[in-house]
């Protein structure tokens, strides 16, 4: 009798020596007829479990969206805030990697291993800069509760030395709980020519981006496709979408139509914008009556000029930077609008929790004047001959051809009404907007304004979302007891406008800047570069009466200041904050990275080399690039007369002849040629993109070296002899961070290109490509004429041979520190 027609069951004992039946819930006999089946199932979400969408924006200040006082058009956020909840007293960490780690784990940033951004590797517990095996992430918690989990956008939770395909991927998104991922592992990227995109756990092998490509749109398309794909296969499974925008991080680039909407709207300047936004915030009820605002930052190194003191040319250019920024904020709201529209179409908007926030405050990285050459400006080279802000055509600001950033005067307007910026522990760096919408689970009464003034912190988001959804977190990860939350649920705060915060104290620290909050008191210290790192200059504020942190009360209440200073010290030890590190200390890397400077031979067809791996081959050093043209290929000469194929030859015989063998059987044997031949053309090697780089190519019988020095392009070429087998480019370091280049053909010098600005810090941004200028164009005019210009000749390999570092160590440390700052 078959199993499909069993009319009775015979129970048999499984022998004691049997294995693999321990957890089987049915019964097992010798045959199916004597057995009872049982099935295992993956976790399923509770009935009616809400979807969860977390939108995290990069470097966007407190006042940059409509619900928090902005003039920028954000209709989607206006809608969410009108029916949802705004947290006016929400805090995060001063920088992006720490904030992302804290948000996704519910654990304080240092304790999660992210006391700084993932562009360093100093070798201390609070600065592992990769998530430890005993740290659970929110997607892991939700997947354990039956959720589908998706992430798009910026990750920045892997060290830059481990972004390459050969690295351990234990801290990559799909190893940390996400079913699908699409985006950038980097801390920033180009919006027109991303240097590297990852799909799940593999690099997307892009040669050339479409003409109308824009990163925010690409990320949004992918997020929508994940949701549609899920619903096509399962109508009920709840999902978690973590959308971490690359915007608003520099370099600032906006679509022409978005930038055009704001043309002329910032001619009044940052002082007036800060005043108007603050008035709007007071009208919204975000701050109590009587709250004061400092007109502008005046502290040395953080100060912003009075707008009226600027020249007409400066005002025009600076206003244009802000038009680009506003267009990018607008684009983010459009992206969120497309997600909300899809939820509406699916009938799932009411039962979706949407959280919108920023990773830290607006930035001062543009300095007092802003820049049209992002990577050159943020190298901050202390040399009067350094290029700094390259004076490009202002009409190119915001386009694919430039990487720009606004002056810090706009950063202080972004952080209205607070002082200071991203990177500092004062409110300007850590108080950011937070909007929560869940119509089904967080309905508003007419008497509820939707504004909450109680303190909340970034580590509260994970426990809050779990409580709102009625879920529990697992206690074990990979066999290890999981670290417990440092954050506390703010669910009651969201539900009840009269509820008080459960998060009553919190430390903060970043590169020597310190802070400690307890019950409405905040102790803050601003670390000055030349001061003792462990001698904080504490300032005390009662932020219930003085939310903008203007009135230092440390002299009036020395005992309170001392109490909070002791509490900071205790929290620092409890969260692996010690040892304290300066930016100079953070330039240290593990010794094994020295292998990145070993010679490397790259074959044609090798995908574009990862950015950090590529930079280590040329940074601050002499180097040579050798293109070997000795790959054999058929002659272009006319074929000789064909002879008859050998009797009995079967050109279709499987396993006995390849397609090439078959062609050889019916055609004359080709005469192999080695070396350059007339008509060969294309790019031999390229490294970089419009923001800086170099490339070597052959066109019209000439070999050409082009060097893009942060947007200033120069080239040199010379006729290439027929039969040339080897082309070598030699780069030699000279003073003031310059290179001299020489082109040699078969050991004979052919041409020179001297006194070129070195590409340092984060440049070149796009990695090395062999046989093609992939992704962003190094030479704009060449890309316009020839596209990515694949090489048509015989290219065997391109070899990089790095020489010794020739730049003083103190200069390197200074540049690398600023590169880390740009990556924040």
């Amino acid at each position: 009798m078959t199993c499909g027609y069993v009319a009775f069951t015979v129970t048999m004992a499984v022998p004691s020596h049997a294995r693999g039946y321990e957890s089987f819930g049915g019964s097992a006999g010798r045959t199916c007829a004597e057995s009872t089946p049982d099935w295992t199932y993956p976790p399923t979400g509770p009935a009616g479990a809400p979807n969860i969408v977390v939108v995290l924006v990069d470097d966007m200040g407190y006042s940059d969206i409509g619900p928090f006082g902005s003039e920028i058009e954000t209709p989607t956020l206006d809608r969410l805030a009108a029916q949802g909840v705004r947290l006016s007293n929400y805090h995060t960490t001063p920088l992006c990697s720490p904030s992302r780690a804290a948000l996704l784990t519910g654990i304080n940033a240092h304790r999660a291993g992210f006391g700084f951004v993932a562009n360093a590797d100093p070798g201390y517990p609070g600065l592992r800069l990769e998530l430890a095996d005993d740290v659970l992430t929110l997607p892991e918690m939700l997947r354990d509760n039956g959720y589908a989990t998706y992430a798009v956008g910026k990750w920045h939770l892997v060290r830059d030395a481990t972004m390459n395909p050969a690295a351990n991927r234990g801290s990559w998104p799909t190893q940390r709980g996400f079913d699908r991922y699409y985006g950038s592992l980097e801390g920033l990227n180009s919006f027109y020519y991303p240097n590297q995109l990852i799909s799940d756990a593999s690099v997307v092998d892009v040669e050339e981006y479409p003409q109308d490509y824009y990163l925010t749109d690409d990320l949004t398309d992918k997020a929508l496709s994940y949701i549609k794909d899920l619903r096509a296969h399962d109508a009920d499974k709840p999902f978690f979408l973590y959308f971490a925008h690359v915007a608003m991080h520099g370099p600032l680039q906006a679509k022409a139509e978005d930038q055009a909407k704001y043309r002329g709207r910032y001619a009044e300047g940052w002082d007036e914008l800060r005043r108007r936004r603050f008035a709007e915030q007071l009208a919204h009820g975000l701050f109590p009556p009587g709250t004061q605002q400092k007109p502008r930052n005046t502290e040395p190194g953080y100060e912003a000029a009075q707008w009226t003191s600027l020249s007409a040319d400066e005002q025009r250019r600076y206003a244009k930077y802000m038009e680009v920024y506003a267009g990018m904020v607008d684009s983010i709201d459009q992206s969120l609008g497309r997600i909300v529209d899809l939820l509406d179409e699916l009938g799932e908007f009411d039962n979706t929790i949407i959280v919108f926030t920023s990773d830290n405050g607006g930035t001062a990285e543009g300095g007092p004047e802003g820049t049209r050459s992002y990577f050159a400006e943020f190298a901050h080279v202390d040399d009067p001959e350094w290029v700094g802000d390259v004076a490009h055509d202002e009409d190119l600001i915001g386009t694919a051809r430039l990487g720009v950033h606004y002056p810090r005067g706009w950063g202080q307007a972004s952080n209205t009404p607070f002082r200071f910026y991203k990177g500092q522990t004062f409110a300007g760096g850590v108080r950011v907007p937070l909007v929560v919408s869940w119509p089904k689970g967080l309905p508003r009464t007419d008497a509820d304004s939707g504004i909450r003034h109680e303190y909340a912190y970034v580590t509260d988001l994970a426990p809050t979302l779990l409580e709102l959804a009625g879920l529990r977190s697992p206690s074990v990860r990979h066999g290890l007891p999981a670290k417990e939350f440092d954050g506390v649920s703010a669910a009651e705060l969201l539900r009840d406008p009269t509820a008080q915060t459960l998060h009553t104290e919190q430390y903060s620290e970043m590169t020597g800047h310190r802070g400690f909050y307890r019950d409405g008191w905040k102790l803050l210290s601003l670390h000055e570069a030349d001061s003792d790192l462990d001698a904080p200059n504490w300032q005390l504020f009662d932020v219930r009466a003085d939310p903008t942190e203007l009135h230092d009360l440390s002299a009036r209440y020395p005992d309170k200041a001392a109490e909070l200073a002791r509490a900071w010290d205790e929290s620092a030890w409890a969260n692996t904050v010690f040892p304290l590190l300066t930016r100079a200390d953070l330039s240290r890397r593990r010794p094994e990275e020295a292998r990145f400077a070993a010679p490397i031979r790259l074959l044609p067809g090798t995908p574009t080399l990862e950015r950090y791996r590529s930079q280590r081959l040329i940074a601050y050093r002499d180097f040579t690039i050798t293109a070997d043209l000795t790959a054999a290929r058929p002659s272009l000469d006319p074929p000789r007369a064909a002879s008859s194929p050998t009797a009995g030859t079967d050109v279709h015989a499987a396993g006995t002849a390849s397609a090439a063998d078959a062609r050889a059987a019916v055609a004359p044997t080709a005469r192999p040629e080695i070396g350059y031949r007339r008509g060969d053309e294309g790019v031999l090697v390229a490294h970089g993109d419009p923001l800086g780089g170099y490339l070597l190519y052959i066109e019209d019988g000439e070999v050409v070296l082009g060097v893009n020095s942060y947007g200033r392009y120069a080239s040199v070429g010379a006729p290439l002899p027929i039969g040339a087998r080897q082309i070598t480019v030699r780069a030699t370091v000279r003073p003031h961070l310059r290179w001299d280049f020489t082109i040699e053909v078969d050991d004979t010098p052919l041409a020179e290109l001297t006194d070129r600005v070195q590409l340092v810090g984060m440049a070149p941004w796009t990695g090395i490509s062999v046989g093609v200028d992939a992704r962003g164009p190094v030479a704009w005019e060449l890309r316009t004429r020839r596209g990515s210009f694949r090489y048509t000749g015989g290219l065997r390999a391109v070899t990089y041979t790095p020489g010794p570092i020739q730049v003083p160590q103190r200069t390197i440390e200074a540049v690398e520190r600023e590169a880390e700052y740009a990556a924040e």
Side-chain angles (χ1 to χ4, degrees):
M1 178 178 298
T2 65
C3 285
Y5 297 94
V6 173
F8 57 89
T9 301
V10 177
T11 303
M12 295 185 61
V14 174
S16 59
H17 59 270
R19 296 190 298 179
Y21 298 97
E22 294 82 4
S23 60
F24 180 52
S27 61
R30 295 183 68 87
T31 68
C32 187
E34 300 166 331
S35 307
T36 304
D38 184 58
W39 289 268
T40 60
Y41 297 91
T44 56
N51 304 315
I52 300 172
V53 176
V54 173
V55 179
L56 182 66
V57 185
D58 200 342
D59 289 2
M60 191 188 76
Y62 188 88
S63 74
D64 281 334
I65 59 174
F68 281 76
S70 180
E71 72 297 332
I72 300 171
E73 297 174 26
T74 55
T76 305
L77 284 164
D78 294 345
R79 171 189 171 184
L80 298 183
Q83 61 191 23
V85 178
R86 284 175 282 176
L87 271 66
S88 69
N89 196 11
Y90 171 75
H91 289 62
T92 183
T93 84
L95 293 181
C96 63
S97 294
S99 294
R100 289 156 208 278
L103 186 155
L104 287 173
T105 65
I107 293 171
N108 286 329
H110 291 82
R111 189 163 163 256
F114 279 88
F116 190 58
V117 292
N119 298 83
D121 191 16
Y124 297 104
L127 292 153
R128 295 181 71 254
L129 304 177
E130 289 191 334
L131 296 170
D133 286 341
D134 62 349
V135 174
L136 276 165
T137 65
L138 182 58
E140 289 172 326
M141 302 170 202
L142 292 171
R143 190 162 66 180
D144 199 62
N145 282 276
Y147 276 66
T149 55
Y150 306 121
V152 296
K154 171 176 169 174
W155 183 240
H156 210 198
L157 291 176
V158 294
R159 290 184 292 107
D160 46 16
T162 60
M163 293 188 300
N164 65 78
N168 181 295
R169 307 184 194 196
S171 203
W172 286 34
T174 53
Q175 303 298 315
R176 304 306 304 205
F178 286 107
D179 299 330
R180 302 294 311 274
Y181 169 71
Y182 181 76
S184 170
L185 301 178
E186 296 269 18
L188 58 108
N189 227 313
S190 166
F191 290 86
Y192 292 101
Y193 303 111
N195 66 346
Q196 177 176 277
L197 292 174
I198 303 294
S199 181
D200 299 330
S202 298
V203 175
V204 181
D205 193 9
V206 178
E207 179 171 313
E208 199 168 353
Y209 288 99
Q211 199 78 26
D212 60 349
Y213 182 87
Y214 190 71
L215 180 58
T216 300
D217 294 341
D218 186 18
L219 299 176
T220 308
D221 290 344
K222 188 63 71 173
L224 297 177
S225 75
Y226 287 158
I227 297 170
K228 292 175 183 177
D229 188 36
L230 175 66
R231 285 296 169 254
H233 293 86
D234 191 320
D236 302 313
K237 187 172 186 176
F239 66 83
F240 169 50
L241 171 64
Y242 172 60
F243 196 139
H245 280 277
V246 177
M248 303 297 297
H249 202 295
L252 304 182
Q253 296 170 318
K255 291 184 291 184
E257 59 269 30
D258 293 332
Q259 187 176 347
K261 290 172 64 174
Y262 297 93
R263 189 164 293 129
R265 292 177 62 175
Y266 293 100
E268 64 188 9
W270 49 63
D271 293 330
E272 177 60 18
L273 182 66
R274 185 168 163 92
R275 187 197 65 77
R276 283 198 292 104
R277 286 188 176 183
F278 184 45
E280 191 70 16
Q281 291 168 342
L282 292 174
H284 275 283
L286 294 171
F287 298 98
T291 300
Q292 298 174 317
Q293 176 187 232
K294 189 175 182 179
R296 74 184 64 84
N297 293 318
T298 56
E299 292 77 5
Y302 303 96
E303 75 280 5
Q306 187 172 345
W307 182 260
T308 55
S309 71
L310 303 174
S311 71
D313 286 346
E314 289 171 327
Q315 289 182 354
R316 182 189 64 252
R317 185 168 74 253
Y318 297 175
K320 198 170 183 67
Y321 290 134
M322 187 59 191
E323 292 167 9
V324 178
Y325 185 87
M328 293 174 68
V329 174
D330 192 308
S331 177
I332 286 173
D333 190 82
Q334 295 173 43
S335 165
L336 181 55
R338 293 177 62 195
I339 294 171
V340 169
D341 287 347
L342 177 59
L343 294 172
D344 281 333
E345 179 69 25
L346 295 171
E348 299 183 38
F349 173 74
D350 283 355
N351 197 30
T352 298
I353 303 171
I354 300 177
V355 177
F356 181 94
T357 189
S358 178
D359 63 350
N360 46 246
T363 179
E365 67 184 27
E369 299 178 352
T371 184
R372 289 158 285 184
S373 48
Y374 188 78
F375 293 123
E377 181 71 18
F378 301 123
H380 285 283
V381 176
D382 186 17
D383 187 319
E385 295 191 26
W386 183 247
V387 289
D389 177 29
V390 178
H392 295 295
D393 184 347
E394 290 181 18
D395 289 339
L396 298 177
I397 288 174
T399 70
R401 296 190 62 172
L402 298 187
V404 309
H405 215 301
Y406 62 32
R408 60 182 176 234
W410 295 121
Q412 71 171 9
S414 177
N415 297 332
T416 300
F418 306 120
R419 292 190 297 155
F420 298 107
Y421 314 89
K422 160 189 174 178
Q424 291 89 56
T425 51
F426 281 72
V430 299
R431 277 187 77 166
V432 293
L434 188 136
V435 177
V436 181
S437 169
W438 184 23
K440 182 179 179 180
L442 295 171
R444 286 245 309 269
T445 65
D446 293 339
D448 184 357
S449 69
I451 297 175
R452 306 290 186 264
H453 298 292
E454 291 290 299
Y455 183 92
Y457 190 65
V458 60
T459 54
D460 299 339
L461 285 179
T464 299
L465 291 169
L466 291 181
E467 181 176 341
L468 290 176
L471 309 174
R472 292 186 177 182
S473 175
S475 59
V476 174
R477 184 182 189 276
H478 289 188
L480 299 173
K483 283 187 168 70
E484 296 181 351
F485 286 139
D486 290 313
V488 295
S489 174
E492 192 58 28
L493 203 63
L494 298 174
R495 294 187 184 110
D496 181 1
T498 67
Q500 295 186 338
T501 184
L502 299 177
H503 200 130
T504 56
E505 61 179 57
Q506 179 63 46
Y507 86 93
S508 60
E509 188 277 335
M510 188 59 58
T511 60
H513 304 307
R514 307 188 194 192
F516 193 83
Y517 170 86
R518 177 182 285 172
D519 294 329
W521 290 94
K522 191 184 283 190
L523 191 69
L524 295 169
S525 174
L526 194 68
H527 174 62
E528 301 297 337
D530 297 327
S531 64
D532 185 344
L533 184 63
D534 202 20
N537 181 23
W538 290 116
Q539 300 179 55
L540 178 68
F541 302 96
D542 178 358
V543 292
R544 293 160 297 192
D546 179 23
T548 51
E549 302 166 359
L550 298 180
H551 305 291
D552 178 13
L553 302 177
S554 58
R556 186 185 303 180
Y557 301 108
D559 291 345
K560 175 60 70 174
E563 169 199 329
L564 297 185
R566 288 191 299 270
W568 183 91
D569 208 66
E570 292 168 3
S571 290
W573 281 114
N575 286 280
T576 63
V577 173
F578 292 114
L580 299 174
L581 274 71
T582 64
R583 288 188 178 272
D585 299 324
L586 287 163
S587 65
R588 182 185 297 118
R589 297 278 181 155
R590 65 183 62 195
E592 289 78 8
E593 284 196 24
R595 66 185 178 84
F596 288 155
I600 183 171
R601 185 169 181 263
L602 302 170
L603 303 179
T606 301
T608 301
L609 207 63
E610 183 272 326
R611 185 266 304 172
Y612 185 77
R613 176 72 180 90
S614 299
Q615 288 172 341
R616 297 303 95 184
L617 295 168
I618 70 167
Y620 312 107
R621 63 178 79 241
D622 300 343
F623 64 93
T624 63
I625 309 169
T626 303
D628 183 346
L629 307 184
T630 63
R633 62 271 167 96
S635 170
L636 291 180
D637 293 342
R640 294 183 295 269
S643 59
S644 300
T646 305
T649 299
D650 181 0
V651 297
H652 302 292
T656 61
S658 67
D661 294 332
R663 288 193 297 273
V666 297
T669 303
R671 177 170 58 84
E673 286 194 351
I674 294 178
Y676 167 71
R677 63 187 181 183
R678 186 175 292 105
D680 291 348
E681 63 176 1
V683 172
L684 298 171
V685 63
H687 184 187
D689 50 41
L691 306 190
Y694 57 88
L695 81 171
L696 182 69
Y697 65 95
I698 299 171
E699 186 179 32
D700 297 333
E702 282 198 339
V703 57
V704 181
L705 172 68
V707 178
N708 179 339
S709 299
Y710 305 105
R712 283 180 177 162
Y713 184 77
S715 64
V716 64
L720 184 62
I722 300 297
R725 291 169 170 253
Q726 182 173 288
I727 302 174
T728 300
V729 174
R730 298 190 187 277
T732 305
V733 171
R734 56 174 295 173
H736 305 294
L737 284 178
R738 297 294 199 272
W739 275 314
D740 286 342
F741 290 94
T742 303
I743 304 176
E744 300 175 4
V745 174
D746 295 334
D747 298 323
T748 300
L750 212 63
E752 289 185 340
L753 187 61
T754 60
D755 198 29
R756 295 298 96 196
V757 175
Q758 280 191 46
L759 300 165
V760 297
M762 305 293 283
W765 182 246
T766 298
I768 296 166
S769 296
V770 174
V772 64
D773 181 16
R775 302 176 188 170
V778 173
W780 191 270
E781 186 271 339
L782 183 67
R783 173 65 63 89
T784 302
R785 288 191 294 105
R786 306 302 301 263
S788 56
F789 204 17
R790 275 197 168 274
Y791 186 61
T792 61
L795 177 61
R796 183 179 295 277
V798 170
T799 299
Y800 273 76
T801 306
I805 288 176
Q806 303 284 12
V807 174
Q809 186 62 29
R810 65 181 181 277
T811 301
I812 296 173
E813 289 177 358
V815 174
E816 293 296 304
R817 288 199 301 271
E818 297 306 329
E820 291 160 4
Y821 185 80
E824 295 165 6

